[in-house]
Amino acid sequence: MSNPSLLILPGDGIGPEVMAEVRKIIDWFGAKRGLAFDVSEDLVGGAAYDAHGTPLHDDTMARALAVDAVLLGAVGGPKYDNLDFSVKPERGLLRLRKEMDLFSNLRPAQCFDALADFSSLKKDVVAGLDIMIVRELTSGVYFGEPRGIFEEGNERVGVNTQRYTESEIARVAKSAFELAMRRGKKLCSMEKANVMESGILWREVVIEVGKDYPEVELSHMYADNGAMQLVRWPKQFDVIVTDNLFGDLLSDCAAMLTGSLGMLPSASLGAPMANGRPKALYEPVHGSAPDIAGQAKANPIACILSFAMALRYSFDQGAEAARLEAAIQQVLADGVRTADLMGPEGGVPVTTSGMGDAIVKALDASL
Ligand code: IPM
Ligand code: MG
């Protein structure tokens, strides 16, 4: 049998730097755990625009559709801010999500013990936090038609459309219930059924899907209240399911509970392929961080944890994923810190590759 295939798209800003550390981890699993991958690399975002005049070349799109999983770094940067909307780096990422039909976006917000002091919230509010936001990723206001900037009378009007079909809601709801079954069996659905018809339908469909999961305790919350509750007492949640735009906002909010965006991975999953694996793209939640790009300061942990999610969700290697996560816990407990994780007491931060090397060492020690 041939090795599973991985397409790596480092992208822009700190993307290539953090991805270089992921390559060390991938190599380690190949050498030490007999988990070899066929790895190929390509361009996305501004890097693809510079080379091809488009943020995602058709050949890259075709390769992404053919591999077992895609690993993406980050896209975007100030250099591209004035580009036409249609060729902005972000369009490359949105095209990948849409054409791979990655409707279920898993964004864990987990507070590592060693970092509980880094949250802007009190330690007891966040210590031990482990929640999962499931964000619908291929529909809603990000993609709804009509959209555009139109002339109306003597002024312009900007239009976007929030649109959800029952089947689009049902499939992401199902993935959230499945996840809740494997975790704490609690699911909170967030919308604004008080002001939006799409929210009313969302709630109805989620309730309907929930009938197949009687063991899961289902609750509903207006998304604005959800934002407040996330900051007030986040440990009340296990799994949250919500639409594309609310999920974008709520997941950033949840991310900050943990103290650093540099720690948070994500998985974007679609329907199963012929080999039974879901179509999948894994990426850190942090962006391209142009302010620190090229300075060896970036924290590679979010990207490495994204690879751990790939091990778990694409390759059925939950035990190896746990090994990698434990190695990261260990390194943090040992006090190894990149600059974003330096407390007020200071200390000497490690570089991006210093952090990658420390994690490889902790992996060695796990054998
Ligand atoms: C995210 C990002 C993206 C989004 C951007 C880069 C298009 O904010 O993944 O959360 O809005 O979905
Ligand atoms: Mg976002």
Side-chain angles (χ1 to χ4, degrees):
M1 236 176 74
S2 61
N3 296 328
S5 52
L6 274 179
L7 173 63
I8 292 193
L9 303 173
D12 307 323
I14 61 170
E17 297 165 50
V18 293
M19 201 56 90
E21 302 314 306
V22 178
R23 291 297 284 258
K24 291 180 188 168
I25 306 294
I26 295 173
D27 291 347
W28 186 89
F29 278 95
K32 304 285 173 74
R33 302 300 298 159
L35 272 177
F37 294 93
D38 287 337
V39 182
S40 57
E41 205 171 300
D42 210 337
L43 303 173
V44 70
Y49 178 82
D50 289 338
H52 307 300
T54 163
L56 189 75
H57 196 279
D58 289 344
D59 291 348
T60 315
M61 186 67 242
R63 290 169 78 181
L65 286 167
V67 292
D68 290 313
V70 178
L71 233 59
L72 187 138
V75 295
K79 183 178 162 196
Y80 309 103
D81 280 351
N82 296 321
L83 285 183
D84 186 72
F85 188 74
S86 63
V87 289
K88 275 193 186 297
E90 290 78 4
R91 302 311 300 172
L93 176 57
L94 292 173
R95 181 176 175 202
L96 280 165
R97 290 175 179 172
K98 189 71 180 172
E99 292 195 24
M100 293 172 76
D101 203 15
L102 305 171
F103 58 86
S104 180
N105 179 213
L106 276 41
R107 298 190 163 191
Q110 221 173 344
C111 188
F112 286 79
D113 290 342
L115 300 180
D117 282 325
F118 283 82
S119 176
S120 51
L121 300 186
K122 294 196 187 75
K123 189 169 176 168
D124 69 308
V125 176
V126 295
L129 180 73
D130 178 11
I131 60 183
M132 179 74 88
I133 297 192
V134 180
R135 168 190 177 191
E136 199 291 326
L137 202 60
T138 50
S139 184
V141 75
Y142 271 55
F143 296 98
E145 302 279 348
R147 65 183 297 163
I149 301 175
F150 306 107
E151 300 282 340
E152 210 175 272
N154 55 5
E155 64 173 355
R156 292 177 305 156
V157 47
V159 178
N160 289 94
T161 301
Q162 166 81 333
R163 183 176 189 280
Y164 272 106
T165 65
E166 288 181 288
S167 53
E168 285 169 341
I169 301 167
R171 64 182 186 170
V172 72
K174 187 168 181 311
S175 75
F177 277 107
E178 293 286 342
L179 211 65
M181 284 297 288
R182 285 192 265 146
R183 295 175 43 106
K185 299 196 173 155
K186 266 172 61 178
L187 177 63
C188 182
S189 169
M190 296 187 186
E191 24 61 11
K192 277 185 68 75
N194 51 343
V195 287
M196 297 166 75
E197 284 79 1
S198 59
I200 295 175
L201 185 68
W202 182 279
R203 188 175 288 212
E204 283 176 14
V205 173
V206 170
I207 289 172
E208 196 54 40
V209 173
K211 290 183 180 155
D212 292 337
Y213 300 90
E215 281 176 62
V216 176
E217 181 195 315
L218 173 65
S219 61
H220 307 272
M221 224 178 245
Y222 298 141
D224 53 345
N225 182 29
M228 188 176 80
Q229 295 298 334
L230 269 175
V231 182
R232 192 183 70 84
W233 188 244
K235 286 188 236 175
Q236 69 186 281
F237 298 112
D238 175 23
V239 181
I240 293 171
V241 63
T242 189
D243 77 11
N244 202 343
L245 182 60
F246 293 144
D248 182 40
L249 305 180
L250 292 169
S251 65
D252 264 26
C253 176
M256 214 48 220
L257 299 174
T258 68
S260 172
L261 261 181
M263 299 292 300
L264 293 169
S266 77
S268 304
L269 306 176
M273 301 184 279
N275 61 14
R277 295 186 177 116
K279 280 233 160 321
L281 179 145
Y282 299 88
E283 56 177 320
V285 170
H286 64 66
S288 57
D291 52 321
I292 58 161
Q295 299 172 36
K297 280 187 189 165
N299 182 353
I301 291 180
C303 205
I304 293 173
L305 285 171
S306 300
F307 175 64
M309 288 188 92
L311 288 173
R312 179 172 287 121
Y313 293 105
S314 282
F315 303 115
D316 218 9
Q317 295 286 345
E320 297 302 327
R323 176 193 298 279
L324 179 50
E325 288 157 356
I328 290 169
Q329 290 267 18
Q330 186 56 51
V331 163
L332 293 171
D334 291 344
V336 181
R337 299 277 188 275
T338 40
D340 57 310
L341 303 177
M342 294 312 291
E345 67 281 2
V348 183
V350 294
T351 60
T352 307
S353 72
M355 180 59 92
D357 293 342
I359 294 169
V360 167
K361 248 172 110 182
L363 281 171
D364 276 333
S366 78
L367 292 177

